[in-house]
Amino acid sequence: MLTLVPTPIGNIGDISLRAIEALSGADTLLCEDTRVTKKLIHILKERYDTSFKSEQNFISLHSHNEKEFIEKLSPSFFEQNVIYVSDAGMPGISDPGQALVKYCQHNGVKYDVLPGANALLTAFVASGFVETKMLFWGFLPHKGKDRDASLQGALNSGFTTILYESPHRLDKLLNELSYQDSSRKIFLAKELTKKYQKYYFGTADEIRQKVDANLRGEWVVVIEAAATQNSSAISQNDILELDLPKKVQAKLISKITGENTKACYERLLNH
């Protein structure tokens, strides 16, 4: 059968007994990065004195070769204990894994998914936003209109929305959030479960004042749900593209975002 096994997102102590049992009994381990998985197994052997099968097969399976690998699979491959692990956290959450599950469903292969460490749920609870409905947005596109449209969707989803962001683009994201909705509260979690874990809460501008110059690390961004859910298909960018006076643009934007009209007008003048 196939078992998807979550691994710690930083603190090795978050490994579960079921995960250790699955890893130690695996015949073949499909790994997002075999080096990362072998390092994890070495730590488990050293720290927890865990016994593993003597001859385990490690196969690299990541986003670049996943489609090709699955196309060549035979159901007989799973007549052994097959494990899939991504580098950290839950497989299938902004990591490979879902295509393997779909393959098992289509081919009658038995599979299981173990619960475990997960950055988005940890950050959602830590954010303190009491809205129980939440939406996972994953990574934004890197640039251009696709990024603008995706960010608009996240801001106006009507739910507490969770993003992952690269440290190389975090400052850019804070600038974008400040421009799009300067009053929106956000929560940032850096290096969850690791030694240098940090939480930041406030508006984008407030957080920029708190965050130190070193942005390296894994970041999760939780965006508070908009005060007024936007049921309109029109976005702020759509309004800005219209040939209208800025005062009129500000009034329209305030209607769909709930932002103060005067503050919006001043923001447009300064842009």
Side-chain angles (χ1 to χ4, degrees):
M1 66 176 291
L2 169 71
T3 306
L4 274 67
V5 178
T7 55
I9 58 177
N11 190 321
I12 191 66
D14 292 333
I15 192 78
S16 73
L17 294 175
R18 290 183 70 197
I20 293 175
E21 182 181 2
L23 291 169
S24 62
D27 297 304
T28 293
L29 293 101
L30 305 176
C31 318
E32 186 177 10
D33 188 326
T34 57
R35 295 166 300 180
V36 173
T37 304
K38 287 178 180 179
K39 182 178 179 181
L40 171 64
I41 287 175
H42 176 74
I43 293 172
L44 293 176
K45 287 178 178 179
E46 293 291 318
R47 187 170 301 185
Y48 299 110
D49 195 27
T50 307
S51 298
F52 283 73
K53 283 192 173 181
S54 57
E55 294 185 7
Q56 292 184 309
N57 185 28
F58 293 83
I59 299 175
S60 180
L61 178 59
H62 46 72
S63 58
H64 300 294
N65 71 350
E66 184 179 32
K67 182 178 179 182
E68 180 183 0
F69 180 86
I70 290 175
E71 285 175 349
K72 296 178 180 179
L73 267 182
S74 166
S76 62
F77 178 76
F78 296 98
E79 291 173 1
Q80 56 179 327
N81 285 329
V82 180
I83 300 297
Y84 178 75
V85 287
S86 52
D87 288 350
M90 176 66 72
I93 304 294
S94 287
D95 278 327
Q98 292 283 27
L100 277 173
V101 171
K102 186 59 65 178
Y103 177 89
C104 291
Q105 291 174 336
H106 286 169
N107 292 276
V109 174
K110 185 180 178 183
Y111 70 93
D112 196 10
V113 180
L114 303 189
N118 178 265
L120 83 92
L121 291 178
T122 305
F124 174 64
V125 175
S127 72
F129 295 134
V130 296
E131 172 61 57
T132 56
K133 295 179 181 178
M134 65 96 167
L135 183 64
F136 177 54
W137 207 257
F139 285 96
L140 293 170
H142 293 178
K143 56 186 178 180
K145 289 186 176 180
D146 288 344
R147 183 177 176 90
D148 291 339
S150 186
L151 182 57
Q152 282 290 327
L155 284 167
N156 298 302
S157 70
F159 304 103
T160 300
T161 303
I162 302 168
L163 312 175
Y164 288 164
E165 188 54 284
S166 157
H168 309 296
R169 285 182 292 276
L170 184 69
D171 190 58
K172 176 182 179 180
L173 177 61
L174 290 173
N175 287 330
E176 291 167 328
L177 289 168
S178 175
Y179 172 68
Q180 297 288 355
D181 191 344
S182 60
S183 62
R184 186 77 67 93
K185 297 292 186 182
I186 59 175
F187 173 82
L188 266 61
K190 176 183 180 180
E191 294 286 87
L192 281 170
T193 79
K194 301 182 179 73
K195 181 179 180 180
Y196 296 106
Q197 171 182 293
K198 288 188 178 179
Y199 294 157
Y200 301 94
F201 180 83
T203 65
D205 289 333
E206 290 169 345
I207 288 176
R208 256 194 314 214
Q209 301 300 316
K210 301 173 186 176
V211 175
D212 58 38
N214 179 13
L215 297 179
R216 288 182 299 176
E218 303 289 334
W219 291 87
V220 186
V221 182
V222 186
I223 302 173
E224 185 180 32
T228 304
Q229 183 169 345
N230 174 27
S231 59
S232 170
I234 194 169
S235 71
Q236 174 178 270
N237 286 344
D238 295 328
I239 294 170
L240 293 176
E241 289 174 359
L242 298 175
D243 186 18
L244 294 171
K246 290 194 182 297
K247 280 190 176 181
V248 177
Q249 290 179 335
K251 287 181 180 179
L252 292 173
I253 290 170
S254 69
K255 289 287 187 183
I256 66 169
T257 65
E259 183 181 2
N260 178 273
T261 303
K262 183 179 179 181
C264 181
Y265 178 64
E266 291 176 354
R267 175 166 61 82
L268 295 183
L269 286 178
N270 294 328
H271 184 257

